[in-house]
């Protein structure tokens, strides 16, 4: 099948399918005319790629583990013994990223909670209060400029 048909069957844009090929995730045959020729198995491969991307893996990691996975109904099953260690490392990386994001969210929650009631009321009503006539500017306070960092 040609790339347009693979795109239609998988819901993945042609441009992204070409990217998967560049990343060595797909290896279509080439016709003498230069057109890509995809097999029926490529439909399943694209679905595996999409599942692994949704799980937070990058394309370089997917390229190394894809040959060690098979479909078993709705699940992907590892077939290589060393794959479990790779997947465990990726899971730990994702867990660290989640922890970092939760820490960042908690810091923002603290800053938001520290806002005076009138500022929270204006924010809830849709007023931004960030213009030159806002209460902090009127009080002579300056706000950080572009590129500055807020310290908690």
């Amino acid at each position: 099948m040609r790339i347009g048909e693979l795109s239609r069957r998988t819901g993945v844009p042609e441009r992204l399918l070409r990217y998967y090929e560049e990343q060595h995730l797909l290896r279509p045959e080439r016709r003498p005319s230069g057109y890509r020729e995809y097999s029926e198995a490529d439909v399943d491969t694209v679905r595996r790629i999409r599942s692994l991307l949704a799980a937070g893996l990058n394309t370089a990691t997917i390229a190394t583990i894809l040959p060690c996975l098979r479909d078993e109904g709705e699940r992907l099953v590892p077939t290589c013994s060393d794959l479990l260690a790779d997947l465990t490392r990726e899971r730990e990386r994702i867990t660290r990223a989640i922890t970092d994001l939760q820490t960042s969210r908690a810091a923002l929650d603290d800053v938001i909670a520290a806002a005076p009631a009138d500022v929270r009321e204006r924010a809830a009503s849709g007023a931004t209060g960030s213009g030159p006539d806002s209460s902090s500017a009127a009080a002579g306070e300056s706000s950080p400029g572009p590129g500055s960092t807020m310290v908690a």
Side-chain angles (χ1 to χ4, degrees), residues 71-122:
D71 290 314
E72 203 173 84
E74 295 291 317
R75 305 186 315 174
L76 294 177
V77 177
T79 59
C80 303
S81 59
D82 58 339
L83 179 59
L84 290 180
D86 293 340
L87 293 175
T88 300
R89 277 191 299 279
E90 283 299 315
R91 186 180 189 288
E92 289 167 355
R93 180 192 61 79
I94 291 168
T95 298
R96 284 190 305 273
I98 290 169
T99 300
D100 291 346
L101 286 169
Q102 288 172 330
T103 300
S104 296
R105 183 178 60 195
L108 285 174
D109 287 345
D110 289 345
V111 171
I112 291 166
D118 64 318
V119 173
R120 284 195 306 266
E121 289 170 12
R122 281 196 310 256

Side-chain angles (χ1 to χ4, degrees), residues 132-147:
D133 62 341
S134 68
S135 61
S136 63
E141 298 171 9
S142 63
S143 59

